[in-house]
Amino acid sequence: MRWLALIWKSLLRSRRRTLLIVGSLVLSVFTVAVLQSLLTTLDSITDNPNSGSRLAVRHKSGITQMLPRSYETYLRQQPEVETVCALQWFGGYYQDPRNFFANFASDETTIFQTFREEFGLSSITEAQIKEYLRDGAGCIVGESLALKNGWKVGDVVPLTGTIFPINPRLTIRLIFKSSRPSDENVMHFHYKVLEEGVPRMKGLTGAFWVRVHRPEDIPRLIDRVDRHYANSAYETLTETESAFNLAFVKMLGNISAIIQGITIAVVLAILIVTANTMGTAIRERGSEIAVFRAMGFSASRVLSLLLAEGVLLVGLGAALGIFLAQAAAGAVRSALGAVMPFFADFEITSATALLCLAGALVVGLLSTFIPAYAATRRPITEGLRSVG
Amino acid sequence: MNANAFDLGEGAPIITLRGIAKSYWRETLEIPVLQGIDLEIPSGAFVALMGPSGSGKTTLLNLVAGIDRPTGGTLEVCGHELNDLDDDELAAWRNAHVGFIFQNYNLVPVLTAFENVELPLLLTGLGRRARRERVAEALDLVNLTDKQWNYPRQLSGGQEQRVAIARAIVTDPDLLVADEPTGALDAKNAEEVLGLMSRLNTEMGKTIVMVTHDPKAAHQARHQIHLEKGVLDRAVEVNR
Ligand SMILES: Nc1ncnc2c1ncn2[C@@H]1O[C@H](COP(=O)(O)OP(=O)(O)OP(=O)(O)O)[C@@H](O)[C@H]1O
Ligand SMILES: [Mg+2]
């Protein structure tokens, strides 16, 4: 028998206690892990590091109004600008209208540069990009979208238009990997497909995405662009990607306060339950603790054995809770990921898992220490007198 | 020799009590339990500690075994002045020198007989293999090798007490203390346990101090010491 075996066997002494503690930890760690991950996921939307260097230029009167593609020339001439990409939401579906994913007609010549982080450029080759540029009816798709539909390079994907009256048949020329799964639930195809198929779209686009060299230049550029087109037939509204998300951020403030509040309440509740259960379990073992000490186990040795028991018990519950939360996160991703893109990123990060585990261990130590300390400071003779 | 000084014959003393006193306090009221105990017990003795209920037998035994501290006097046991040891040193001393046998066995219910016996060895520096050998020897001595994988609830009272005895001797201590070891056993099992203790005394030379109410049990010992209201009353040599 080793020390660990002794601790383990003592753990299994009271099934009721073990089940109660493991069960309540599983529940609470699960809850906290899911809530915290939700928070992380929501945060990551507004916290996109690439968004700081991009601007969206749209029609001042709203997203459905178009801008002339000729604006590109002026935008490109600005010294702060690195690239400009015309991008139009196409809103088509594949086979079933419920099978939603983002698809765009975009300027194939600048799309990779403008959104280079999202495309994970290291995962695709120059040759693949050339393949796409060469084929006017080609398209590119994210890996998770391709996986979901069983697509591979060379497959022809018929899209059914909803906003525009065309049903393009597109050949997959490239499948890209992204660091965030939500960025992979996307398809792009040549802008010409839209322009040539839909006469009223000729020479027009819904928005330009502009990438600047240095984020500090953004305010000046916004100002200049909007002033340049003021009082023209097509007035512009230019804003940063982050500004675009600002409304969202305000809402997040409340959500995060609520989530943190719930987390604290859950932690306190679990601390009370664990402390109470541990306390009862340890008090029931008064005579056994006395026997251990009579045999020569020092008070601090017995204390560490009891603490190890508490920590192991709580650690088990926490690990199980995290495991279940991971499973639940997977279910959320596949159930909601397609409908609400940000849920495609929903996961229990290792940071969240570690935080939960650490929190649980602190709870385990705290809840065990007080009764265990009291029990080991009790005179041995008193412990021996108690029957048990 | 003063009325309270007891010397149980020749041989180097393993236990020497000088003016031992123990009191409890209830608020400011002192409740004396033991007073002025002077006692020498030679190595290899088998002593039965007797006396009416509440006379302080358990209290005295606990002092000798180093799980309680006197409020007055000094005691030297197995070569150590116990008052000089701090709590951790005293714990290490108990592990090395004292084996405990309790009335209600006090085995750990979640451990097998084997593991219960192994428990005090976890504190020694012995490796797994050496520990196994020592446990096997101890279990063989109490004749329970065939029950070593049983849990306490799968043993009879007599068997449980024999496992407890194996646990008490597995570290090869000089001194065994037993508080009414046959108190919960029927006559037949009591006799078996007492026979075992006798053998530990005569064959292995263990010094045994045993608290008992039972005259039959006391008869197994070589000396009987009587406590009366916290003072030593008389010592009797048992003629066999
Ligand atoms: N913690 C304590 N606080 C107060 N009094 C105590 C305490 N422990 C023991 N006593 C008292 O000390 C006296 C001696 O107790 P002890 O247990 O030594 O008696 P005993 O001779 O072993 O009796 P028994 O034969 O019933 O076991 C008793 O009167 C008891 O009430
Ligand atoms: Mg007693």
Side-chain angles (χ1 to χ4, degrees):
Chain A
M1 182 174 56
R2 295 159 195 267
W3 289 108
L4 195 63
L6 176 61
I7 293 164
W8 181 250
K9 289 200 150 191
S10 306
L11 259 192
L12 300 180
R13 152 186 327 260
S14 156
R15 296 264 143 93
R16 197 187 65 88
R17 168 188 74 151
T18 309
L19 284 180
L20 194 64
I21 291 189
V22 170
S24 50
L25 265 145
V26 165
L27 259 179
S28 52
V29 165
F30 174 84
T31 311
V32 169
V34 167
L35 286 177
Q36 291 294 326
S37 300
L38 191 62
L39 204 58
T40 317
T41 305
L42 293 176
D43 275 347
S44 76
I45 298 164
T46 53
D47 196 25
N48 183 349
N50 319 320
S51 63
S53 51
R54 280 196 301 254
L55 293 172
V57 184
R58 315 193 309 239
H59 196 291
K60 196 177 173 182
S61 338
I63 195 91
T64 51
Q65 303 289 309
M66 300 294 152
L67 293 175
R69 282 205 62 185
S70 56
Y71 278 19
E72 253 174 81
T73 321
Y74 170 76
L75 292 172
R76 282 220 174 85
Q77 280 163 358
Q78 307 313 304
E80 299 89 349
V81 171
E82 185 189 335
T83 58
V84 179
C85 181
L87 194 82
Q88 174 58 47
W89 176 258
F90 180 68
Y93 62 86
Y94 168 64
Q95 287 176 344
D96 186 338
R98 280 170 302 179
N99 190 359
F100 169 91
F101 64 94
N103 44 82
F104 301 93
S106 58
D107 182 346
E108 67 279 0
T109 58
T110 53
I111 185 80
F112 292 105
Q113 242 178 308
T114 312
F115 296 95
R116 56 176 170 251
E117 291 85 0
E118 282 76 0
F119 281 118
L121 278 191
S122 54
S123 72
I124 50 184
T125 65
E126 204 62 38
Q128 288 174 310
I129 293 177
K130 276 205 183 107
E131 272 295 283
Y132 172 55
L133 294 180
R134 198 184 45 74
D135 179 6
C139 69
I140 61 177
V141 297
E143 186 171 53
S144 64
L145 182 63
L147 280 177
K148 196 162 61 195
N149 293 301
W151 295 335
K152 50 192 189 311
V153 171
D155 283 1
V156 175
V157 178
L159 269 194
T160 309
T162 54
I163 306 169
F164 304 104
I166 51 166
N167 304 319
R169 294 175 57 81
L170 305 163
T171 309
I172 297 175
R173 291 300 170 197
L174 182 160
I175 293 175
F176 64 87
K177 269 203 191 56
S178 184
S179 55
R180 295 196 305 172
S182 63
D183 291 331
E184 283 184 5
N185 206 21
V186 173
M187 171 193 269
H188 287 273
F189 53 87
H190 289 235
Y191 205 88
K192 279 198 296 291
V193 173
L194 183 65
E195 275 191 312
E196 287 166 8
V198 185
R200 68 173 160 90
M201 284 302 290
K202 190 134 191 75
L204 295 175
T205 185
F208 295 103
W209 288 81
V210 176
R211 189 176 184 111
V212 297
H213 292 293
R214 298 181 323 165
E216 325 57 296
D217 296 335
I218 282 182
R220 205 158 12 115
L221 186 62
I222 288 178
D223 209 45
R224 185 164 350 113
V225 171
D226 285 346
R227 245 184 312 114
H228 182 76
Y229 290 114
N231 303 320
S232 75
Y234 301 92
E235 289 191 77
T236 58
L237 176 71
T238 306
E239 53 187 3
T240 61
E241 223 176 289
S242 316
F244 181 79
N245 290 328
L246 214 78
F248 211 81
V249 176
K250 282 187 184 144
M251 187 183 81
L252 271 189
N254 300 331
I255 292 184
S256 82
I258 292 169
I259 289 183
Q260 300 304 11
I262 295 176
T263 301
I264 290 170
V266 168
V267 169
L268 283 180
I270 195 67
L271 188 62
I272 292 168
V273 170
T274 327
N276 184 45
T277 318
M278 288 289 190
T280 313
I282 288 173
R283 275 189 295 279
E284 276 168 4
R285 281 160 70 181
S287 69
E288 184 179 310
I289 289 170
V291 170
F292 269 71
R293 292 181 59 202
M295 285 190 296
F297 286 68
S298 66
S300 51
R301 169 92 63 175
V302 175
L303 180 63
S304 16
L305 283 174
L306 292 172
L307 283 179
E309 250 180 69
V311 165
L312 194 63
L313 195 56
V314 166
L316 274 181
L320 200 59
I322 290 167
F323 174 78
L324 288 181
Q326 296 278 21
V332 166
R333 275 197 298 276
S334 56
L336 296 175
V339 189
M340 297 172 77
F342 72 80
F343 274 121
D345 290 337
F346 186 64
E347 60 168 353
I348 314 295
T349 63
S350 42
T352 305
L354 275 180
L355 192 76
C356 286
L357 203 59
L361 294 185
V362 170
V363 166
L365 276 176
L366 272 181
S367 61
T368 318
F369 183 80
I370 296 163
Y373 184 81
T376 52
R377 291 298 170 253
R378 227 176 129 202
I380 300 176
T381 52
E382 209 175 282
L384 287 177
R385 256 174 232 278
S386 63
V387 236
Chain B
M1 190 190 276
N2 113 22
N4 278 344
F6 285 78
D7 184 352
L8 306 183
E10 69 289 357
I14 187 171
I15 298 170
T16 308
L17 308 188
R18 287 186 208 89
I20 283 295
K22 176 77 181 179
S23 298
Y24 291 101
W25 271 270
R26 196 155 293 148
E27 307 285 300
T28 51
L29 181 69
E30 183 178 356
I31 305 165
V33 175
L34 296 174
Q35 299 170 59
I37 308 264
D38 291 312
L39 177 64
E40 270 188 11
I41 295 176
S43 184
F46 187 168
V47 178
L49 195 51
M50 305 189 69
S53 183
S55 56
K57 304 181 295 292
T58 297
T59 307
L60 182 58
L61 190 74
N62 289 345
L63 289 173
V64 167
I67 54 174
D68 200 0
R69 296 201 184 258
T71 39
T74 60
L75 65 169
E76 193 184 322
V77 186
C78 301
H80 286 81
E81 187 59 57
L82 299 192
N83 287 346
D84 293 346
L85 304 180
D86 68 22
D87 286 354
D88 284 355
E89 289 166 341
L90 201 56
W93 172 84
R94 287 194 299 271
N95 185 249
H97 298 287
V98 189
F100 287 83
I101 303 166
F102 306 97
Q103 177 175 357
N104 43 11
Y105 333 126
N106 274 327
L107 297 179
V108 181
V110 293
L111 300 180
T112 62
F114 186 97
E115 290 165 335
N116 265 286
V117 176
E118 191 184 2
L119 216 42
L121 290 180
L122 290 179
L123 296 173
T124 64
L126 292 177
R128 239 166 120 73
R129 208 196 173 123
R131 292 204 304 264
R132 257 206 298 265
E133 278 166 16
R134 295 279 282 271
V135 175
E137 261 171 56
L139 282 169
D140 183 50
L141 199 84
V142 300
N143 207 8
L144 276 177
T145 306
D146 56 329
K147 300 280 184 204
Q148 59 182 328
W149 304 122
N150 286 31
Y151 286 90
R153 71 188 130 77
Q154 300 165 324
L155 297 170
S156 74
Q159 288 168 338
E160 278 196 76
Q161 193 60 299
R162 276 148 62 199
V163 173
I165 291 174
R167 180 178 66 182
I169 58 169
V170 75
T171 51
D172 197 22
D174 318 305
L175 174 66
L176 291 179
V177 296
D179 198 344
E180 308 198 27
T182 58
L185 297 175
D186 62 25
K188 188 183 150 294
N189 278 308
E191 204 169 312
E192 202 173 341
V193 162
L194 287 168
L196 193 52
M197 290 177 65
S198 255
R199 272 180 56 211
L200 294 175
N201 174 244
T202 53
E203 292 171 23
M204 301 179 70
K206 303 286 178 210
T207 306
I208 301 178
V209 181
M210 170 177 74
V211 168
T212 185
H213 280 298
D214 178 7
K216 244 180 163 169
H219 197 74
Q220 287 284 337
R222 274 187 285 152
H223 295 94
Q224 297 179 354
I225 297 177
H226 289 261
L227 260 180
E228 193 73 54
K229 291 185 181 142
V231 292
L232 290 181
D233 182 41
R234 63 200 144 91
V236 180
E237 186 145 359
V238 179
N239 299 308
R240 272 183 285 184

